[in-house]
Amino acid sequence: MTISVSQYMLFSLHKILEVLHKLPAESKQVERKVLISLVSFFNISPQLPDGQDLPLPPVILGELVKDPQKPTVCFYGHVDVQPAKKEDGWKTDPYKLTEINGNLYGRGATDNKGPVLAWINAVETFKAMPVNFKFVIEGMEEAGSLGLEKLLQEEKQCFFSDVDYIVISDSLWLSNKKPALTYGSRGNACFFVEVECGSKDLHSGTFGGIIHEPLMDLIALLDSLVDHTGRIQIPGIYDSVASLTEEERKLYESIEFNLEEHKNNSGVKKFLYGTKEEILLHLWRYPALSIHGIEGAFHEPGIKTVIPAKVIGKFSIRQVPNMDLSVVVEHLESVFSKRNSPNKLKVSMPLSAKPWLADVNDPLYKAARKAIKTVFREEPDFIRDGSTVPVARMFQTIMQKSVIMLPIGAADDGEHSQNEKISRHNYIEGAKMFAAFFLEISKLHRHLHETSNMETNN
Amino acid sequence: MTISVSQYMLFSLHKILEVLHKLPAESKQVERKVLISLVSFFNISPQLPDGQDLPLPPVILGELVKDPQKPTVCFYGHVDVQPAKKEDGWKTDPYKLTEINGNLYGRGATDNKGPVLAWINAVETFKAMPVNFKFVIEGMEEAGSLGLEKLLQEEKQCFFSDVDYIVISDSLWLSNKKPALTYGSRGNACFFVEVECGSKDLHSGTFGGIIHEPLMDLIALLDSLVDHTGRIQIPGIYDSVASLTEEERKLYESIEFNLEEHKNNSGVKKFLYGTKEEILLHLWRYPALSIHGIEGAFHEPGIKTVIPAKVIGKFSIRQVPNMDLSVVVEHLESVFSKRNSPNKLKVSMPLSAKPWLADVNDPLYKAARKAIKTVFREEPDFIRDGSTVPVARMFQTIMQKSVIMLPIGAADDGEHSQNEKISRHNYIEGAKMFAAFFLEISKLHRHLHETSNMETNN
């Protein structure tokens, strides 16, 4: 059975309404009332650069319970997936959930339909919800959450006005067995470096040896960015990166991370660093610079003796908090000026996604840690993501509220890959953990509220 | 009127036969006999790598006169052209010869139909040819003279066995007005530098900062090739390049070359060198290295945060005589080894076209210089070509005989471009010059022969 995004949304909606119908008839009218879900579909359609409107699947905003005494937790999930075909190498129909040896296989099983269903299950377990619950389900995450930011902005003072905490469960544990809490992700700043000598490509027989080739200028610029040990060579780039605290270092020591497995996943022979801690620090905590390619130069198989007239080098810096990126342009301009080249240099930053970093001592993290200990019976790893997680950053920036990424999928779930799965164990225990988390955050919030009231009364 | 390559070949053939018919009836039977042209069509069809045969237009081999007392001059020309359409910006139908203000416009007017017809005209002027004449006309030059080399090899001991001199008129003067003799061309060695970390591209979020990126290794390798002044940085690369002689330097001083015009043609703001002599020396006399591009990296518009797993850098060296290119691989391997990279490096040279250099004191050049002085009333420029001229090198290598490139087209003829032309003046005077050249080479050859006989007799 193949389900489209909109069908799945209707299905999710149906599940939510089921929660209401399942309420025992004998439950008090007031309880029934506060549990009534208000669900709205928001049709978002961002405008393309040419002015055209793009019709997108709607975003579902919903709420369950509205009690001023309770904290309001907002859950974010998405129900769209990456394309998948049986021919890609799937052992089962990617769009039919199939259980094999305790694993639930299917596109979206872990990214992100499984976790979305798990929180619906968690909500179902309560006769009376301990928190006010709001949720956002979108259908464009895999395409960059088109239109979502605008919607969040518009609803900030309305639907989201009373939200206290934001929970995203759209990531994975770092290990196959040990639960994790994600508290940060690197940002990403993409740079285009354009060098141009004129409007037309030249013949290397007729001009080779007498002109300043733009591609040579560009290669020198790109080569000045990183040394062979992986250290970024842009002066000042590390100045604003916070130093590692002892508390932070300790977090890294206890993390369960299979270095050999990660190396095998990459297919490379050797990493730049030898220990688990160094690898994780350089993946999460320190900036990294990657060079992606060159536009405008000869890129096809075979030979073409061309001197390209305009080339655009593309690199990106995975940025960490506090970084000052103005030094990048300064550096490139300085290296270029030393070359005495008559060519035209243009540096631009077409994308700058900021990093996201949460406070691990925030009530959200305390509640989640307790919930994990209760259900999984062990301490979670406190992890970050080397990739950019735009949604976490987007919610944090717009709502100005605490955000947690609370994964229930394991490292080997294979999101976006063939045979994506979530284990039955993670799915069921994950739903329980969400329920435990609701209880913990309501307790902590009440405690904070009382403390704050006491302070006010003093 | 549009003429196909084969139609043109038949037309050329017809013209040759006309020469014979035009012979005055009263001419002695013996003269008539030696002037009989033997013309053969050689069907060449090189095999493609997949074993398939490629049918090509035939090559015409012909001869006029066979007198053991006379030197045998072999003329090479081609009648195929680059594609052209009126919509490309032609003022006239590119396949109809049109005269405007003393210029003959048409595709192939200068490259190479005009010069081919001019030598037919030159041959026509003689009642009794002063030389034995052989000719080669092919129809695949613009596609890289497919099949020609094999044919030359096969006919080396047959058709070409008695050839003394080879004349190619498939180049241009360096100036619009001053005649030139071409005595050399740079070769071209293309290099592929492949760096590979594994079989799959990686995500810069998940692996950026912890791996030795193949593209960074490659960029460092490419950046080590040339400094910002254009000087090749490969140790030893200049060691085998012959030093400039005083005699050679003098040739450069008298050359008519419009530096500003060449700069305007390139569209660049500034050359690496400031004087005519330096520019020409670096275009013809010294090797040049150009970087063409990278295969396997991201080359499209927009952003892709990929770490490419396998990248192939492509550069070429326009080589000059005597160069030892083994230093290129040594240098790259040495730079790479200093990076301590676990990646795999592979350097290959998929193309190595040798340079061609003639002796300007060879009888061919002496005869051509005299003929030019007689017809155009000035000394020719002695020039080289920065690009590779595979045909000159091919004839020189296979025949082991002197080769001259004797252009009659001017610098502004615009070969391969819109509105290609040859001036009526150059066409007519060029034909005369070819005729004068036949006389001069026959005189010089007789003189050499006599001197050599005298030496033998002494």
Side-chain angles (χ1 to χ4, degrees), chain A residues 69-90:
Chain A
Q69 299 303 311
K70 292 175 179 170
T72 302
V73 174
C74 176
F75 183 95
Y76 162 87
H78 70 88
V79 290
D80 56 315
V81 296
Q82 291 275 345
K85 274 184 272 179
K86 188 117 198 305
E87 310 87 86
D88 296 341
W90 281 75

Side-chain angles (χ1 to χ4, degrees), chain A residues 186 188 190 192 196-200 202-213 215-224 226-230 262-273 278-280 282-283 287-308 314 316 318 338-344 350-351 385-388, chain B residues 186 188 190 192 196-200 202-213 215-224 226-230 262-273 278-280 282-283 287-308 314 316 318 338-344 350-351 385-388:
Chain A
R186 294 193 290 193
N188 197 16
C190 292
F192 287 179
E196 186 182 359
C197 72
S199 58
K200 56 180 175 185
L202 298 171
H203 187 299
S204 67
T206 320
F207 294 99
I210 62 166
I211 71 161
H212 301 257
E213 298 188 9
L215 186 50
M216 283 192 192
D217 284 339
L218 178 62
I219 280 170
L221 289 168
L222 295 178
D223 192 31
S224 76
V226 182
D227 74 8
H228 72 281
T229 70
H262 198 60
K263 203 158 70 189
N264 288 341
N265 285 342
S266 75
V268 308
K269 284 195 202 118
K270 208 177 81 180
F271 281 148
L272 283 162
Y273 310 95
E278 278 177 308
I279 290 294
L280 292 180
H282 283 92
L283 270 181
L289 191 150
S290 292
I291 303 177
H292 308 298
I294 293 166
E295 182 184 338
F298 178 58
H299 63 265
E300 286 167 35
I303 293 168
K304 187 178 180 186
T305 51
V306 65
I307 301 176
K314 300 185 175 183
S316 68
R318 293 279 165 183
K338 284 182 196 122
R339 291 182 63 82
N340 269 321
S341 169
N343 298 328
K344 222 166 61 188
L351 173 87
D385 198 318
S387 306
T388 310
Chain B
R186 293 194 291 193
N188 197 16
C190 292
F192 288 179
E196 184 182 359
C197 72
S199 58
K200 56 181 177 188
L202 299 170
H203 186 300
S204 67
T206 320
F207 294 100
I210 62 166
I211 71 159
H212 301 258
E213 297 188 9
L215 186 50
M216 283 191 191
D217 283 340
L218 177 63
I219 280 170
L221 289 169
L222 295 178
D223 192 30
S224 76
V226 182
D227 74 7
H228 72 280
T229 69
H262 198 61
K263 203 158 73 191
N264 288 341
N265 285 342
S266 75
V268 308
K269 283 194 203 119
K270 208 177 80 179
F271 282 148
L272 282 161
Y273 309 94
E278 277 176 308
I279 290 295
L280 292 179
H282 282 91
L283 270 181
L289 192 151
S290 291
I291 303 178
H292 308 298
I294 293 166
E295 182 185 337
F298 179 58
H299 62 265
E300 287 167 34
I303 294 168
K304 187 180 181 186
T305 52
V306 65
I307 301 176
K314 300 184 177 184
S316 67
R318 293 280 166 183
K338 284 183 196 120
R339 292 181 64 80
N340 268 322
S341 169
N343 297 328
K344 223 166 60 189
L351 173 88
D385 198 317
S387 304
T388 309

Side-chain angles (χ1 to χ4, degrees), chain B residues 399-432:
Chain B
M399 306 297 157
Q400 298 283 321
K401 295 287 172 184
S402 307
V403 176
I404 190 171
M405 291 187 68
L406 186 49
I408 62 168
D412 61 354
D413 277 1
E415 82 281 24
H416 294 198
S417 269
Q418 295 89 335
N419 305 309
E420 179 180 346
K421 60 98 180 157
I422 191 164
S423 74
R424 171 180 269 274
H425 176 264
N426 277 40
Y427 177 66
I428 293 173
E429 301 304 303
K432 289 185 196 166

Side-chain angles (χ1 to χ4, degrees), chain B residues 44-48 52-56 140 146:
Chain B
I44 50 172
S45 53
Q47 244 191 10
L48 295 180
Q52 218 187 322
D53 272 338
L54 192 68
L56 300 180
M140 287 300 290
L146 287 180

Side-chain angles (χ1 to χ4, degrees), chain A residues 380-399:
Chain A
D381 282 334
F382 279 80
I383 65 173
R384 298 202 196 183
D385 198 318
S387 306
T388 310
V389 182
V391 178
R393 173 79 197 185
M394 200 189 286
F395 275 96
Q396 189 189 46
T397 309
I398 298 173
M399 305 298 157

